[in-house]
Amino acid sequence: MVFNDERGIEMSYTFALVGNPNSGKTTMFNEITGNTQYVGNWPGVTVEKKEGKARRFKDDISIIDLPGIYSLSPYTMEEIIARDYIVDEKPDVIINIVDASNIERNLYLTTQLIELGIPVVVALNMIDVVNLRHDKIDIEKLEEGFGVSVLVASASKGLGVTEVVEKALELAKSATVKKSELSHRIFDNEVEDSLKKVKELVNMLANKSGYSARWLALKLLEEDIKLKEKLDVSEVMMSDIKKLGQELENKYDNDIETIIADNRYRFISGVIAKAVSRKSKGNTLTMSDKIDKVVTNRILAIPIFLLVMLSIFQVSFGSIGSYTIDWLDVFINKTISGFLTSLLEAGGAADWLKALIIDGILAGMGSMLVFVPQIMIVFFFLSLLEDSGYMARAAFVMDRVLRKLGLSGKSFIPMLMGFGCSVPAVMAARTLENEKDRRLTIILTPFMSCGARLPVYALFAAAFFAKNQGVVIFSIYILGILIAVLSGIFLKRFILKGEVAPFVMELPPYRIPTLKGLSIHMLDRGKGFVKKAGTVIFAASVIIWFLQTFSFTFQMVENPADSIMGGVGRLISFVFAPLGFNDWRASVALLTGVVAKEVVVSTLGILSGVGEISEGSAELAIALQTYFTPLKAYAFMAFTLLYMPCVAAFGAIKREMNSWKWTLFTVGYQTGTAWLVAFLIYQVGKVMGLG
Amino acid sequence: MKTLKELKPGEIAVIKSVTGEGIVKRRLMDMGVTRGTEVLVRKVAPLGDPIEVNIRGYELTFRKSEAENIIIE
Ligand SMILES: Nc1nc2c(ncn2[C@@H]2O[C@H](COP(=O)(O)OP(=O)(O)OP(=O)(O)O)[C@@H](O)[C@H]2O)c(=O)[nH]1
Ligand SMILES: [Mg+2]
């Protein structure tokens, strides 16, 4: 707590949202703070700590959104982030988000949180689902059982949110923190007795470290190795504690972790029996089960998955998609371009300035911007998958396949996210249990074609495969998946050897995606691309224009081939010659594509002088036909798909790998693979007489 | 000794104990797979593994190799 004011009137507080994965923490966070952090219907959406300010309150309240945890004994990277925050940073109040429709398992974490000595308020979220089922929860009985305040809420409907924060504020302000003695009820007398003894042993340590003695005692009794190392607990003390643990184990004829977990769940069952009355038996067939009967059907599951993906691309690149393109194309390349030209002419602008604006910036940004609606359509469908609960089912269906690569079904989620953007996808790999699987997933995820690569395919498919754009683009996506599979087998066999990853995961119920949620996702992503166009691509366009306008002696050139860019392009084009795209413009475009993959399109747009022709992407297509054949175009698309991801993704890979060696290996492997695959496509295609 | 692996979809059993070691066991217990709890085997994935069970009112999935470590009454 920070006292801002001498009289203590205005203060700042920190409240942390803590709860099981998928219980609605981020939805609550967005509701309290007005943020638009990522929400999705699968466990493990949030993988890092996020901070926001509560609106509508006099006091300065920071709200912390954390990754979900099932217990305070974390295994995966994002869970460790959450636990470390809770126990080390000590928020003023823990707002424990409990999914009321899955109350038993959610309260398991609550039994641990009340031991920490930090005030806890329970927000019984998703109460709408409980009401819909006509189940009844007696709040007073719950409060009595756990010794904490319980409030009902529905974050997605915005109900009870303010009350939760007010309650937390009240707790934070009441100077005396009421230590919850009720947590003593959780365990059998035998366990309590041993705990008391351990507590005496660790009292000093608790004072020194600032942890609650009870919590520390329990953790050490459970032999939490990470904590033991962190506090540098002496071997003597540890062996004393171990002895007490062994006594317990003998008494129960079971191991200590099982004893404690059993005790906790037994306590919960006791409270639940009094507080919850169910109309429905938990395991009757629900709507989710009916949907699952089809979606995870033995025969239909995989065809359905492929069909879903194919229809996404058919819609995006079929009539709806091309309609938006045509419309935007005319708008940007005729209306705006014409307007700007006349404006510049009327203002008597110098020729070079006119060229910079029309041929550089407008051509560069415009050739990419026309594809934003298509990208948004793809994101719309991806959000549909994410919000409905399909992601977790996909993991369930694909686990068997991924096990062949030594991975688990969980790796499928980052990969699916990779179809959106590689950056969050690479981070989503944090949910994987072991380091090798995480590394492997990070290497493979960028092979899933992200939204930014779409403009490249869209451009080439329209120019060279006008009749079956959807299918051609779909085949590129399939190629990415195929390469990921082969790479997985190869890397697991030779480089990232290790045991098969475990697979334990909860399957959330299907939820009908809300229009609000879907449009937030879609607009957020669309905004991202427009912002990128206004910043990164704007800057890149200016630079590219300069480099293609001036020679090495800084003279303006007539023919771009004589420019700096032309020189660089010719210098490196030998690398790409065996792949069929030896024209210097293609080489340069790939080089600039590292900045952001859409820049490939911008570069080609500028180099083809689209702005000047002001006929838009149709004209660009014609220009491309002068130095590409369909076969070369396909090899070019494959290369764009596979080679090293953009700078932003590179940064994410570096952060997540936390090692230069692995980062360079990753991008090296990807670029090498890209070269090899494009080479094979071109050479085999040539032999087959395709072009 | 009967394990959860032997159950067919639609069958219900009560958990007697969870054997095995390490993080998977711990995780299963954290997720409510503890002694005395009722489980219903919901279904098997299209390719034969993993399985989906209903426990404590929610759906949980794990592999058959994990199911083998769950002893039932
Ligand atoms: N019916 C209903 N659904 C909700 C409610 N709150 C959240 N949801 C949905 O629950 C799902 C999970 O929400 P998130 O906010 O992403 O959950 P989280 O706790 O942040 O999840 P992780 O980040 O994975 O730990 C989403 O599909 C939400 O739309 C609610 O009060 N009622
Ligand atoms: Mg979240």
Side-chain angles (χ1 to χ4, degrees), chain A residues 70-71 73 75 79 102 104-105 108 222 255 257-258 262 265 269 281-283 289 292 296-298 301 396 399-401 403 407-408 500-507, chain B residues 12 18 22-35 38 40 42-52 54 56-63 65-66:
Chain A
Y70 292 108
S71 79
S73 322
Y75 318 100
E79 290 177 338
N102 182 358
E104 266 185 76
R105 198 205 61 214
Y108 180 74
E222 284 182 306
D255 60 289
E257 290 188 327
T258 308
D262 271 356
Y265 269 111
S269 301
K281 200 162 161 19
N283 54 21
D289 305 320
D292 259 354
T296 60
N297 179 285
R298 243 163 217 275
F396 172 71
D399 176 62
R400 191 61 211 270
V401 178
R403 204 171 61 184
L407 293 174
S408 88
V500 175
F503 180 63
V504 177
M505 192 177 153
E506 99 175 269
L507 297 175
Chain B
I12 299 181
V18 184
I23 63 163
V24 181
K25 179 184 176 187
R26 180 76 213 225
R27 166 118 302 181
L28 283 171
M29 289 191 314
D30 282 348
M31 298 193 73
V33 184
T34 58
R35 189 161 50 99
E38 208 174 75
L40 159 73
R42 186 74 86 186
K43 68 168 98 60
V44 179
L47 299 171
D49 204 12
I51 62 172
E52 178 185 334
N54 179 285
R56 297 185 188 276
Y58 79 98
E59 307 295 316
L60 180 66
T61 168
F62 42 74
R63 295 204 182 119
S65 53
E66 268 93 54

Side-chain angles (χ1 to χ4, degrees), chain A residues 540 543-552 560-572 584-585 587-589 591-592 603 606-607:
Chain A
I543 295 168
I544 293 163
W545 179 82
F546 269 105
L547 295 178
Q548 68 113 32
T549 309
F550 292 94
S551 69
F552 281 105
D562 304 326
S563 67
I564 299 177
M565 195 138 247
V568 173
R570 271 195 305 277
L571 199 68
I572 59 166
W584 69 273
R585 284 167 289 197
S587 315
V588 173
L591 202 63
T592 55
T603 307
I606 296 170
L607 296 181

Side-chain angles (χ1 to χ4, degrees), chain A residues 25-26 38 45-46 65-66:
Chain A
K25 298 176 295 299
T26 305
Y38 219 86
V45 179
T46 308
D65 184 25
L66 293 168

Side-chain angles (χ1 to χ4, degrees), chain A residues 113-162:
Chain A
L113 294 176
I114 58 179
E115 283 157 0
L116 289 171
I118 301 171
V120 174
V121 49
V122 169
L124 212 49
N125 193 33
M126 308 215 188
I127 201 72
D128 55 312
V129 180
V130 175
N131 292 339
L132 219 64
R133 285 190 201 154
H134 301 292
D135 293 347
K136 291 261 173 316
I137 300 178
D138 186 331
I139 303 300
E140 271 166 30
K141 294 251 166 63
L142 267 188
E143 290 187 327
E144 207 176 284
F146 280 85
V148 295
S149 300
V150 178
L151 291 115
V152 294
S154 171
S156 62
K157 298 203 158 38
L159 298 173
V161 175
T162 316

